[in-house]
Amino acid sequence: MKDSLVTVFGGGGFLGRHVAQMLMERGARVRIAQRDLASAMRVQPLGGLGQKQFVAADIRKPQNVARAIAGSDMVINLVGVLNGDFEGSHHDGAANVAKAAADAGVRALVHVSAIGADPQSPSAYGRSKAAGEAAVNAAFPQATIIRPSILFGPEDQFLNRFAQLISSLPVVPVIGAETKFQPVFVGDVAQAIAQAVDKPGLHGGKTYELGGPKQLSMMELNRWIAKVIGRQRSFIAMPASVASMIAGLGFLPGAPITRDQYAMLQKDNVVSTGAPGLAELGVNATPMEAVAEGWLIRYRRHGRFAGRVKD
């Protein structure tokens, strides 16, 4: 990979910054292709001099994509949205990237999808992710598809979001209390992506599902966070009728969940039985309890000045 040019669509995002750093540690030159270049600038302090390039690109626009990929040796597509234009970002955009990568003759393409990608998914998110995978496989059959579960890490909108809620409320409502997740550390996913793009002969044409070492229900996850941050709270599982009503207000600013996100909670977000994953990509899964306390500590009553929480 040394001195290869890798174009990373969405490289300025939460996962993208970790991927960019992992690639640069391996000696690659990284071109960050992002619609919002202001957010991409957070990659600027990473890597060495001359290892980073930045280009404005909207993957929904084929000409933008082709220009961003020109001269690349490898391509990674990380673009995903949790609301808004699912079809444009996950399906049309994925098709544009795969076609441009094939036309440019790049030697590897990694497309990041999601566990839950399914043409029959109850959510538009899941259906659009499945359509994106199909488009990628049609245009670039040797692409590697990566399906992670929910990502966690220092700047995530997952553990941090729940920790903030738990630290603010004496009684915490839990939507989708029985839904199971298999949270996976962002650094592990970045390492897996780097492995896949570096060895297309081994990983090309395959689909990997990435999950952490433990499955937790939404209720179990909330209770675990409360324990880590030293907050004694009462948790109430929201009845389906109430949760559905709240989700129906998802279009309002500040709403806790959208209707489509609620639809996603109707299915567990865990690795399929027998699916290849982190181990097959040479990555050891990091447990949440091994790393999360390092950033969740700020949600304790006295923040970083608090003592350790006893079991």
Side-chain angles (χ1 to χ4, degrees), residues 268-285:
D268 291 340
N269 193 278
V270 299
V271 171
S272 304
T273 302
L278 288 174
E280 286 75 14
L281 287 161
V283 181
N284 294 320

Side-chain angles (χ1 to χ4, degrees), residues 209-230:
E209 296 193 0
L210 310 187
K214 185 181 294 185
Q215 295 182 9
L216 294 168
S217 71
M218 182 69 85
M219 181 64 79
E220 290 170 333
L221 177 69
N222 275 269
R223 293 189 186 280
W224 179 83
I225 294 171
K227 179 181 176 182
V228 169
I229 65 176

Side-chain angles (χ1 to χ4, degrees), residues 1 29 39 97 135 142 153 198 252 274 287 292:
M1 182 178 288
R29 295 176 294 128
S39 64
V97 171
Q142 285 305 110
D198 192 24
L252 296 175

Side-chain angles (χ1 to χ4, degrees), residues 47-61:
L49 186 65
Q51 275 193 292
K52 302 168 291 290
Q53 302 176 15
F54 299 90
V55 59
D58 184 337
I59 66 169
R60 297 172 297 181
K61 300 178 180 179

